[in-house]
Amino acid sequence: MTLAKYISDLLYRYECVIIPNFGGFITNNISANVNHFTHTFYAPSKELSFNSHLTNNDGLLANYISTCESISYDKALAFIDQEINDWKTTLAYDELELENIGTLNLTKEGNLVFEPIATVNYLTSSFGLSTYVSPAVKRITYKEQVRELETVAPILPSKESKRTTPAFIKYAAAAAIIFALGTVGWN
């Protein structure tokens, strides 16, 4: 397996994965949202970013590789160092594409620019959810259709839809109020 695959696996479980002597990938939660102009609903997700200043080894990546491959921690570190050297060599003359993560480019000033891949959602709680485009509701045409129907057959309130309170309940409520006011006034 490649180093990018291990990083991708860890990004589902952790908010930050540091690649020693290279940088760290960071995820930030984004809530579900709606684009009102295109009528598109977006599921909650994790936004992926890269920070080249996170270079200290926290041991997470090396431990994961050593566990998955059943090798020692030192061999996992050697594997990471070899991959990082290959990445830096590739970045010197071309962009580096990391599977299911994104692409890295080196600017003329020597800064790394990261462009995340948009098709992978690292938020496990929204697994299986995708974007959804809803047809627009055309309220004006529905209002016009209702007006046309009302001219043909007017909609009048029926006796069934009217709520009436029986007279004895009204008299009982009035008597209870008068009795309560009378006892308060008497005391």
Side-chain angles (χ1 to χ4, degrees):
M1 287 175 65
T2 63
L3 186 60
K5 178 65 176 146
Y6 294 118
I7 296 168
S8 178
D9 290 347
L10 288 171
L11 286 172
Y12 283 105
R13 290 181 256 170
Y14 299 99
E15 292 180 2
C16 181
V17 178
I18 297 175
I19 299 96
N21 300 322
F22 189 73
F25 290 100
I26 304 163
T27 59
N28 296 315
N29 290 345
I30 297 176
S31 62
N33 55 28
V34 178
N35 185 335
H36 296 288
F37 298 109
T38 61
H39 307 288
T40 305
F41 295 84
Y42 296 98
S45 63
K46 279 187 177 180
E47 180 183 51
L48 188 61
S49 59
F50 180 77
N51 187 343
S52 61
H53 298 291
L54 296 174
T55 58
N56 291 336
N57 185 10
D58 63 351
L60 177 68
L61 183 60
N63 278 328
Y64 182 68
I65 293 171
S66 67
T67 303
C68 288
E69 296 296 323
S70 299
I71 59 175
S72 69
Y73 182 81
D74 293 331
K75 287 183 181 179
L77 282 176
F79 170 73
I80 293 171
D81 286 338
Q82 179 61 41
E83 284 284 321
I84 296 305
N85 289 335
D86 293 344
W87 287 5
K88 288 180 180 178
T89 304
T90 303
L91 281 171
Y93 61 90
D94 196 13
E95 72 177 13
L96 176 66
E97 186 172 341
L98 302 175
E99 182 183 2
N100 292 332
I101 297 174
T103 57
L104 286 162
N105 289 312
L106 195 62
T107 63
K108 292 178 183 178
E109 295 83 25
N111 298 326
L112 286 171
V113 177
F114 176 67
E115 184 66 34
I117 193 166
T119 58
V120 178
N121 186 357
Y122 287 107
L123 188 62
T124 56
S125 62
S126 63
F127 177 76
L129 299 177
S130 61
T131 58
Y132 175 73
V133 178
S134 172
V137 177
K138 299 175 183 164
R139 289 180 176 86
I140 296 171
T141 53
Y142 291 134
K143 285 181 183 179
E144 291 172 1
Q145 288 175 353
V146 169
R147 283 187 195 130
E148 290 173 8
L149 290 174
E150 282 183 341
T151 57
V152 174
I155 301 172
L156 299 173
S158 66
K159 290 183 179 180
E160 298 158 352
S161 65
K162 287 186 178 180
R163 285 184 132 182
T164 57
T165 307
F168 72 90
I169 293 179
K170 292 179 186 177
Y171 294 128
I177 292 172
I178 291 171
F179 177 74
L181 290 175
T183 55
V184 169
W186 183 263
N187 291 332

